[in-house]
Amino acid sequence: MSFLFLNGHAQIYDPVKWSFELKDLPSAEKEIVFKANIEDGWHMYDMNLPEGGPVSTSISFEILQGAELIGKVVASVSPTEVFDNQFDMNIRWFEHTVSFTRKIKITDFKKFRLSGEVEYMVCNDEKCLPPERVPFSFDKKHIKQIPEADALVAEEVDSLSEEQELITENVPGSTGSAERRTANVLSELLSEGTGKKTAQKPDRVNEDKEASWWAPVIEELKALGDESSSATDNTFIYIFIAGFLGGLLALLTPCVWPVIPMTVSFFLKRSKSRRKAIREAVLYGFSIIVIYLAMGLLITGIFGASALNSLSTNAIFNILFFLLLVIFAISFFGAFELVLPSSWTTKIDRKADSTTGLLSIFFMAFTLVLVSFSCTGPIIGTLLVEAASQGNAIGPAIGMFGFALALAIPFALFAVFPNMLQNMPKSGGWLNSVKVVLGFLELALALKFLSVADLAYGWGILDREVFLVLWIVIFALSGFYLLGKIRFKHDSEWKNVSVSRLFMSIISFAFAIYMVPGLWGAPLKAISAFAPPLYTQDFNLYDEEVHARFDDYETGMEEAAKKQKPVLIDFSGYGCVNCRKMETAVWTDPRVKQLIEKDFVLITLMVDDKAKLPNSVEIKENEKKRVLKTIGDKWSYLQRSKFGANAQPYYIILDNEGLPLSPSYAYDENISKYIDFLENGKKQYRLKTEQ
């Protein structure tokens, strides 16, 4: 699709550029190459996906004269295969560039004519676009290499065949002329934004009102300050914060905490000048950041962002990572100690002693990285997997930067203010307690990765209620441990419970109790990113979902006009994962549910609905002709032409004339913001009707 509208407030996304080529081979067999260039961050789905999943890429031939198809379509690269929790199936997609090749055999060069279209669907980590169709066509003008016998025949009848084609196209009774005339009438109506007398609603009488329903409102949205489609991506901020928090956790482990005073004291004693010691300690902290940042960039560089994203959703990888985290958790509980080979740390330590200046400081920092691996390894591994799952090339580097920054700050801070070292808590049993609590957290996170594998293979051993029971037990045991009711072999005896332990145990018990209603189907929005989907639950008493009464735009608008209510349009899709997230995380809120059902007429329009329109509709968009064949095509065109947007989910509130009452709303699971969006639209409708 080449249509693009961008005014700073609304946007049409066009992440795929297609090119078509007929390879003129020196025989009757030719090759047609369909090449797709996909923007970074987007992926296009493979052909022949299972039913119930996203829309597959497909190539259809509407006209095939003087030729026949040979074999099957062949892709230039293998697709990436991942398990999608929302669809509960393995899906395949392509990124960057892919070409599809289809062989044909010319049977009659003088009559050769071929046309059709490519249908495809693209998504990124935040949104999916409705299915698009791009037309292609070839004829005898594209063929120069004709076998000698066929060339003589083709040359003799060339002029006659061209004349016959012109006559056929203009004969009123020729094939397709009636459909073409009907399509042109509908095309003219829709391209003018009227939507009058569509093929679905031939008996409508209020054509003027329907015209206003279809009329573009892009300028009106701009005047309202619509900025939903240009909202900034906060993914990097979340990754950085997660990395920073992971670094703070690592500081409190027995592998890192005791090193802080020893290292800072070493720098202060090593230099006669305190200023030089502080400078070297700051450089030491900076070296830590450089090492971890380089590690994140190296991992991405070796595997690539797409490969890391594939690994993060790969079933076998998730099983291995589950086992690895369980091993780390057992180690944290004190069963054994995981350390890197001593020869590694010894060699690096010798390098630090034998070198001077900046290089010596760098090797000391590298020694810390190796020595602390047994405590930081699980945190770093979890961080890298989560950052890579965002599918962005610099995500792991940003996460590692946050981790290293939190790890490096104490070394520089205590070097600048050495008196603070005297007030630092001394190493002791509390560090082992921190390590054990981290073990409980690692065990809980391990189940998240096992859940992905369980869904991929359909084992059914980790349904939602089983997952929740295990998490409830894990966090309850963590609470008992913090109260001193459970002890491991490295724990020292506690005579009393400190205030900090008491509060930590309260948090752990409270979280365990919070999850209990989930056993009966409560949504538990706080852990929705970790727990298996609700449909895996065998026993579910929860029934608070919101469903639209109307799936047809004109019918819903008519009902709203009768009831004198504003309209909430929900542009959605069967293959839209974030649409489902909004429906479960936001629409199930009692306040949102009440507002939608009481004060609005909700119309959900599925832009990937494959049901056929009674008659195809030809429209003109950005100086190019397009044909709307399905109901999804119609709603997708409505969203583009009227609102200047094509990403889902997309919510807009209209009055009974089809005019917007407030800025649109895109994917954002903030319930308060969504309530404000609804309340503002409701208020503006009331003010408008009172005038």
Side-chain angles (χ1 to χ4, degrees), residues 556-576:
M557 291 296 290
E558 285 182 347
E559 180 69 13
K562 291 178 183 177
K563 292 189 174 182
Q564 290 295 292
K565 286 185 177 182
V567 175
L568 174 61
I569 305 289
D570 163 34
F571 285 100
S572 183
Y574 296 115
C576 175

Side-chain angles (χ1 to χ4, degrees), residues 151-202:
L152 293 173
V153 177
E155 184 177 350
E156 291 176 1
V157 298
D158 187 59
S159 59
L160 177 61
S161 62
E162 289 184 0
E163 182 179 351
Q164 287 176 334
E165 285 179 7
L166 290 173
I167 294 173
T168 303
E169 288 181 356
N170 289 281
V171 171
S174 62
T175 303
S177 61
E179 289 81 2
R180 190 179 298 112
R181 287 195 298 273
T182 302
N184 286 338
V185 173
L186 294 174
S187 168
E188 183 179 355
L189 294 175
L190 286 177
S191 64
E192 293 174 357
T194 63
K196 292 183 282 187
K197 294 252 182 189
T198 63
Q200 280 189 296
K201 309 290 180 183

Side-chain angles (χ1 to χ4, degrees), residues 207-426:
E207 294 183 356
D208 290 335
K209 185 174 289 292
E210 288 186 35
S212 68
W213 292 346
W214 279 81
V217 294
I218 298 169
E219 291 301 319
E220 287 82 352
L221 282 171
K222 183 177 179 180
L224 290 170
D226 191 318
E227 297 180 352
S228 63
S229 60
S230 59
T232 56
D233 183 7
N234 293 322
T235 301
F236 290 155
I237 297 175
Y238 296 146
I239 293 175
F240 173 80
I241 293 174
F244 191 83
L245 293 176
L248 293 179
L249 278 176
L251 278 173
L252 300 176
T253 60
C255 311
V256 180
W257 187 263
V259 180
I260 297 175
M262 289 189 296
T263 305
V264 175
S265 298
F266 170 79
F267 279 115
L268 292 175
K269 293 176 182 178
R270 169 176 164 168
S271 303
K272 296 180 180 180
S273 168
R274 182 172 178 270
R275 179 177 296 179
K276 184 179 179 182
I278 292 173
R279 184 173 68 249
E280 288 186 346
V282 171
L283 289 174
Y284 178 73
F286 181 74
S287 298
I288 294 173
I289 294 175
V290 170
I291 291 170
Y292 279 111
L293 188 60
M295 191 186 304
L297 291 173
L298 182 64
I299 290 173
T300 304
I302 293 174
F303 295 100
S306 59
L308 285 172
N309 187 42
S310 301
L311 280 177
S312 68
T313 53
N314 179 271
I316 296 177
F317 172 79
N318 277 277
I319 294 174
L320 295 176
F321 204 77
F322 159 74
L323 295 174
L324 182 63
L325 289 185
V326 171
I327 292 172
F328 273 120
I330 296 173
S331 173
F332 280 6
F333 291 148
F336 52 84
E337 191 71 24
L338 279 176
V339 293
L340 292 175
S342 59
S343 59
W344 293 15
T345 55
T346 302
K347 289 180 180 179
I348 297 297
D349 200 32
R350 286 176 181 172
K351 282 284 185 181
D353 292 335
S354 62
T355 55
T356 58
L358 293 177
L359 192 59
S360 173
I361 294 173
F362 178 82
F363 278 117
M364 289 185 66
F366 204 78
T367 302
L368 170 68
V369 173
L370 293 179
V371 170
S372 63
F373 171 78
S374 63
C375 293
T376 61
I379 302 173
I380 293 172
T382 307
L383 172 66
L384 286 174
V385 171
E386 290 303 312
S389 67
Q390 305 296 327
N392 194 290
I394 62 174
I398 290 176
M400 293 297 275
F401 173 71
F403 179 87
L405 182 64
L407 208 60
I409 284 176
F411 293 96
L413 189 62
F414 288 124
V416 176
F417 305 102
N419 292 333
M420 294 175 61
L421 283 172
Q422 300 176 1
N423 299 321
M424 268 183 57
K426 305 301 180 183

